Every structure is written in structure tokens, then in C-alpha cells.
Amino acid sequence: AGESWTVADQFSARNLGVPEGIRKLIEVQIDRLTPTEKSILEVAAVAGIRFGLSIVAEVAAMPIATVDTILSSLGRRQRFVHCADDIEGPHGESVPGFEFLHVLYRDSIYQGISAQRVTELHLLVGKSKEAQYGEQAREISAELAMHFEKGRNIELAIVYLVKAAMIARQRSAYVESRLHFDCALALSKRLPAGRMRTELEASLYAGLGGVLMATYGFGATEAEVAFSRARSLCQELGESTHLFPAQWGLWLFYWGKSFLKDANEIAEQLRRAS
């Protein structure tokens, strides 16, 4: 009785249950890589546990045949990676791919990359995948948002978070959609203050309000808060295309709660704006 346990204030990835012997063994294997092998594996680690050959070759700025030869050689020796079943390309086609033998290999490579280099590689991988997928890039919106966020391109990260949120909403995955909107709003705070950011936040709050209403119903107070914030931001701007959806969302809320006086006031404002 009276006994308890606590978590240390500071801990690192080395404390997360990886035996010291295994960690050191992986580090020894990494040290034995040639500079070219290590460079290719660093790009692969940023690309993910499974990765397409063409993406790694483009980001590493090496001929695809060279990268294929090096990765295939590592795979035959059971070092870090192995050939995976062909992965689906941007147009549904099968493309050559590889996979890390274990997440520990991938994580160990990733953690050894300098912070500046990680940022650079995430941006390059994001740009490469965006270009490769073209009009189908929205299908991997969440992944692209992650790469651009870690690559410190906040504007593009938000663009793809919104796309991911809308795709999730279309699938009725409202919790997922809300998470994407929440992440986009958090990232928007890192943009310079001004009209562009205010316009963006108004759009995000309006979108979030719609998801909250779809999740909890027309009378959801969470939705009212989001729509009210969107309307307030639009009023700060003086004129905004996002005012109508914010007002419409508030009308639905007041109507859903049977606050008819408020609903009629909003309806009159909508009529005058039309």
C-alpha cells in the first residue's frame, strides 16, 4: 500500500524496450555500410517502411539501375531490406518496391540522420511523390501532409491535410476527418499573421464545424463554437467567401436546437447576402 511508480521526465528512443545488445548490433551493421549504401537507406527510411524504387532513386539523385543493384545486393545478404511484392503505383500499376526487414532497422537508420538532413529529405520525398502521383496525389494526401510538415513546408502540409480531411469525411470517417482539421489549425498558427492566415483559419473552422455537426448532430455545441469562430474571422476580414458556410452552419445549429429567433436572424442575413 502507498507504493507507486513514475515515468522519468527524460527518455529517448533507446529506452523504448529495445535491448541494448540488439541496438548495438544494428549500429555496427550501419557502420559497415558504404557511404552510398547509407545514403540510399537514409532516403528509404524517410520514405517509409515500404518504399518504391523510383522515389528513392529520384531523391538520392542516382540512376534507378544503380539503386536497384545496391538494394537488391543488401536484400540478398539479408541486410536491412528485402525485395517486397510490387507495390501499387499512382495509376494502379505495379512498381518495384523494397521493404525494411524490421521496423528497428528503419528507425535506427532514421534516428541517425541529422535534423537538417531529415527536413530536407522529407521535403524531397514529398515533392517527388506529389509529382509522381500528379492528379492522383489526393489519394495519398495524409502521407504527403506528413512529409511536407516534417519538411517545414507548412502551406503544402495544410493543403493536403484539408484534402485528407475531406476524403475522410466522404468515407464517413468523421473522427479521422476532425483530426486532420485539428492538425491543419495547429499548423496554421505557425504561419505569419495577416489576412491570408485569417482567411485560411476561417475556412478550416467552417470545415471543422461541418464535420462536428455530421458527427454529433445539428445541435452539437462543438459545431456552434467552430462555426462561430469562422464567422468571427470572416467579420474581421470584412468580406470572405467563407462567411456563407459559417452562417449556414450556425443556422442549422439554431434550427436543430429549436432556437427559432436566432435561426430566423441568420436566415435573414443569408437572404440579404444571396
Side-chain angles (χ1 to χ4, degrees):
E3 294 182 356
S4 63
W5 59 273
T6 59
V7 178
D9 291 336
Q10 299 295 328
F11 62 92
S12 67
R14 294 184 176 183
N15 304 122
L16 300 181
V18 181
E20 185 71 9
I22 293 177
R23 181 183 60 77
K24 287 186 176 180
L25 179 61
I26 294 175
E27 289 178 351
V28 168
Q29 292 181 49
I30 292 173
D31 289 339
R32 290 175 178 171
L33 293 168
T34 67
T36 301
E37 289 172 337
K38 187 175 181 181
S39 178
I40 289 172
L41 286 176
E42 286 178 348
V43 176
V46 170
I49 191 75
R50 297 187 81 210
F51 51 90
L53 179 61
S54 59
I55 293 292
V56 174
E58 181 177 347
V59 174
M62 298 181 190
I64 194 167
T66 300
V67 176
D68 189 14
T69 298
I70 291 172
L71 289 173
S72 296
S73 175
L74 289 170
R76 285 193 299 272
R77 290 176 283 154
Q78 290 291 295
R79 297 185 65 193
F80 295 98
V81 299
H82 66 90
C83 294
D85 294 334
D86 286 352
I87 61 178
E88 185 175 336
H91 306 289
E93 75 280 17
S94 294
V95 298
F98 289 83
E99 185 173 18
F100 280 93
L101 289 169
H102 195 282
V103 68
L104 292 179
Y105 285 120
R106 188 254 180 179
D107 289 351
S108 296
I109 293 286
Y110 188 93
Q111 292 164 13
I113 310 172
S114 69
Q116 182 177 352
R117 181 62 173 160
V118 164
T119 299
E120 178 186 4
L121 287 178
H122 272 293
L123 184 59
L124 289 173
V125 169
K127 287 286 191 180
S128 178
K129 286 203 168 191
E130 181 184 43
Q132 187 178 98
Y133 274 74
E135 294 182 358
Q136 279 70 45
R138 68 187 301 274
E139 297 175 4
I140 56 167
S141 295
E143 180 185 353
L144 289 175
M146 179 273 295
H147 284 304
F148 288 129
E149 178 184 355
K150 293 188 175 182
R152 297 183 183 174
N153 189 324
I154 302 304
E155 292 87 348
L156 270 179
I158 292 173
V159 166
Y160 281 106
L161 279 170
V162 172
K163 290 180 186 293
M166 299 310 295
I167 291 171
R169 180 176 178 177
Q170 290 168 5
R171 303 196 323 266
S172 299
Y174 299 125
V175 173
E176 179 185 341
S177 183
R178 178 180 182 177
L179 286 173
H180 290 316
F181 274 120
D182 285 341
C183 288
L185 280 164
L187 285 181
S188 71
K189 305 302 181 186
R190 293 161 58 179
L191 296 174
R195 183 179 180 86
M196 185 176 297
R197 182 174 122 180
T198 302
E199 188 85 30
L200 173 62
E201 289 181 341
S203 171
L204 293 173
Y205 276 112
L208 176 61
V211 170
L212 291 169
M213 189 166 280
T215 305
Y216 302 113
F218 291 148
T221 54
E222 298 93 340
E224 180 200 17
V225 171
F227 285 129
S228 294
R229 180 58 180 154
R231 180 175 64 175
S232 176
L233 290 169
C234 291
Q235 289 169 343
E236 286 181 26
L237 293 167
E239 183 176 348
S240 172
T241 57
H242 306 298
L243 180 58
F244 187 90
Q247 295 277 67
W248 177 254
L250 285 171
W251 179 84
L252 286 173
F253 169 78
Y254 292 133
W255 174 78
K257 297 287 285 187
S258 296
F259 296 158
L260 300 184
K261 180 176 180 295
D262 295 314
N264 287 336
E265 289 179 0
I266 295 290
E268 181 59 25
Q269 294 170 13
L270 290 169
R271 187 190 66 79
R272 290 199 300 266
S274 61

